[in-house]
Amino acid sequence: MTQWNVKDFVRPHILTLTPYASARSEYRGEHGVFLDANENPLGSATQVAFNRYPDPLQQALKDRLAELRRVSPLQIFIGNGSDEAIDLLMRAFCEPRQDHILIMPPTYGMYSVSAAINQIDTISVPLTPSFQIQLDTVLTNLVPGCKMVFICSPNNPTGNLLRDDDIHHIIHTQQHGLVIVDEAYIDFSNSKGFVSFLDQYPNLVILQTFSKAWGLAGLRLGAAYAHPDIIDILNRIKPPYNVNTYTQEKGLEALSQTAKMEEMIRTILDERQRLTDRLAQHPMVQEIYPSEANFILVKIPHAEKIYHYLLKKLIIVRNRAKVFLCEDCLRISIGTSQENDVLLEALEHINYEAKDFISG
Ligand SMILES: *Cc1c(COP(=O)(O)O)cnc(C)c1O
């Protein structure tokens, strides 16, 4: 992969663009009399002071994350959720109405939505019925214009890891752009993920998020790991202050609480096992797909009806019944043990004999 150069794939006008120079990026010192950013010097209208602009490059957060993931801070982009990184990657690399992306459904919906917003076509190569990559078909689709391949592992909504060998093969073969490996659920899995391969692959981008294992979905904090040249391009086009002060502070606080995060993961994995065992005994459940994530995909006849039955009881699961390869499936996030009991109880009390069991 030695000839691969990011400058050959980024949209030309992004390379020549003069990025916005924010006040806080022109002067980076912490101490001084700050009269450069038109901030309010007196404080905030709230109890907590937020009158100063945040660090545009989130240096403290990156330094700590770099230690934790054993990468360089220059290999990290921090965004307002990983969805921001997905959108920025498309805008940096894909020429609207010309380039396209490749996805492997059933998978996370944001890839194709973000592509559509940016007028980028999506080529779909579905997973196999056992939710693995159709490697040959994917490889033959790695043609010029295919600027990015999205691989979600563990995959949402199926929950399984995709085979490492297949992912390596795709990264090796993709000479026309990037491979994005979305590891939103990696901390719940038995895999170490692809971060340790970053130095080998200049075309690899890994997405991780603070929304799942770290329990910070409401903060909006996501990370992309890639070669410094790719990170540099994302930094050129991102909104200058894309991650707010509070989020940076709380993100940093979370990173000092890894033991708490790990304990939550253990609890969720125990509950995943318990929920799986209990559902397996349910007479109507046809299949519980093996999960390496914090949710399980469950195949159950009349999934659509069961979804509405649960809704009436204010138990909200994700209805995937109409999704290709997920017919009659519900995606169930692992809740607290009490929440999971509520779900199990409701499922045990469905009267399937009733003509319309939704009302039962
Ligand atoms: C939840 C999830 C994300 C996280 O997105 P954020 O914007 O960081 O909250 C990313 N990818 C997948 C596959 C997800 O399921």
Side-chain angles (χ1 to χ4, degrees):
M1 303 239 45
T2 43
Q3 325 89 310
W4 195 96
N5 187 332
V6 69
K7 296 197 168 56
D8 298 334
F9 303 100
V10 68
R11 294 166 72 194
H13 75 284
I14 301 284
L15 269 186
T16 54
L17 170 105
T18 308
Y20 175 71
S22 65
R24 213 39 80 243
S25 63
E26 288 202 335
Y27 181 80
R28 309 276 319 271
E30 270 183 46
H31 304 287
V33 177
F34 288 100
L35 304 176
D36 59 345
N38 299 347
E39 295 153 335
N40 186 326
L42 305 177
S44 308
T46 53
Q47 286 290 322
V48 184
F50 288 113
N51 53 319
R52 298 298 176 182
Y53 279 102
D55 174 0
L57 289 174
Q58 311 96 19
Q59 207 53 57
L61 195 53
K62 283 179 183 170
D63 288 346
R64 178 72 192 99
L65 200 53
E67 272 175 44
L68 197 69
R69 298 298 189 214
R70 298 174 197 283
V71 298
S72 154
L74 296 173
Q75 291 172 303
I76 306 177
F77 168 84
I78 303 279
N80 181 25
S82 36
D83 288 351
E84 182 179 31
I86 294 171
D87 179 66
L88 290 177
L89 284 162
M90 298 216 183
R91 286 200 275 152
F93 289 91
C94 299
E95 209 57 65
R97 292 186 278 186
Q98 182 177 317
D99 294 329
H100 62 271
I101 65 163
L102 189 154
I103 65 166
M104 303 170 206
T107 193
Y108 187 45
M110 271 313 287
Y111 314 138
S112 58
V113 169
S114 198
I117 291 169
N118 290 297
Q119 291 188 291
I120 298 155
D121 276 342
T122 297
I123 302 282
S124 292
V125 179
L127 296 174
T128 64
S130 53
F131 303 141
Q132 286 297 331
I133 296 175
Q134 285 198 52
L135 186 62
D136 290 343
T137 313
V138 169
L139 295 182
T140 55
N141 274 286
L142 300 180
V143 296
C146 182
K147 285 290 181 71
M148 32 187 103
V149 178
F150 281 90
I151 302 174
C152 187
S153 181
N155 186 40
N156 177 4
T158 60
N160 61 299
L161 282 164
L162 303 182
R163 273 191 287 269
D164 276 3
D165 287 354
D166 292 352
I167 298 174
H168 282 288
H169 207 132
I170 291 170
I171 299 170
H172 273 282
T173 312
Q174 164 64 323
Q175 294 293 318
H176 305 291
L178 306 174
V179 176
I180 322 285
V181 178
D182 188 340
E183 296 185 345
Y185 300 98
I186 199 72
D187 297 312
F188 300 103
S189 80
N190 283 317
S191 166
K192 291 202 166 34
F194 275 73
V195 170
S196 63
F197 296 102
L198 267 187
D199 292 335
Q200 285 176 45
Y201 295 132
N203 61 345
L204 171 64
V205 179
I206 296 154
L207 302 178
Q208 293 185 353
T209 179
F210 285 72
S211 297
K212 311 288 159 61
W214 295 96
L216 296 172
L219 273 190
R220 311 305 305 131
L221 193 55
Y225 303 88
H227 188 284
D229 290 350
I230 297 178
I231 300 302
D232 184 56
I233 285 160
L234 296 179
N235 286 337
R236 294 168 67 86
I237 65 170
K238 79 182 184 69
Y241 302 113
N242 60 325
V243 179
N244 70 67
T245 303
Y246 188 79
T247 298
Q248 292 191 40
E249 285 174 6
K250 288 293 160 184
L252 198 55
E253 183 183 322
L255 291 174
S256 69
Q257 304 287 332
T258 50
K260 167 140 197 221
M261 185 266 283
E262 281 157 13
E263 179 170 352
M264 291 194 291
I265 290 174
R266 277 194 296 277
T267 305
I268 290 166
L269 296 189
D270 286 348
E271 277 301 307
R272 184 178 78 191
Q273 189 60 51
R274 188 177 74 90
L275 190 60
T276 304
D277 293 345
R278 290 283 301 275
L279 286 172
Q281 291 163 11
H282 193 282
M284 291 296 282
V285 169
Q286 243 176 32
E287 189 152 7
I288 303 157
Y289 295 93
S291 171
E292 304 252 3
N294 65 339
F295 58 84
I296 49 177
L297 188 71
V298 179
K299 193 179 194 81
I300 184 163
H302 311 295
E304 188 82 35
K305 274 189 171 180
I306 292 169
Y307 169 75
H308 289 285
Y309 161 86
L310 291 172
L311 258 193
K312 276 209 172 159
K313 296 187 172 300
L314 292 179
I315 301 168
I316 302 102
V317 299
R318 194 90 155 118
N319 183 6
R320 302 283 83 182
K322 292 199 181 89
V323 172
F324 177 61
L325 291 178
C326 298
E327 291 81 8
D328 263 342
C329 284
L330 301 175
R331 193 195 70 190
I332 302 171
S333 304
I334 309 301
T336 64
S337 86
Q338 291 87 334
E339 289 171 332
N340 299 332
D341 283 342
V342 170
L343 170 79
L344 287 164
E345 174 95 354
L347 286 175
E348 271 153 29
H349 284 90
I350 297 180
N351 178 7
Y352 291 97
E353 308 308 318
K355 220 200 230 144
D356 182 6
F357 65 71
I358 297 174
S359 52

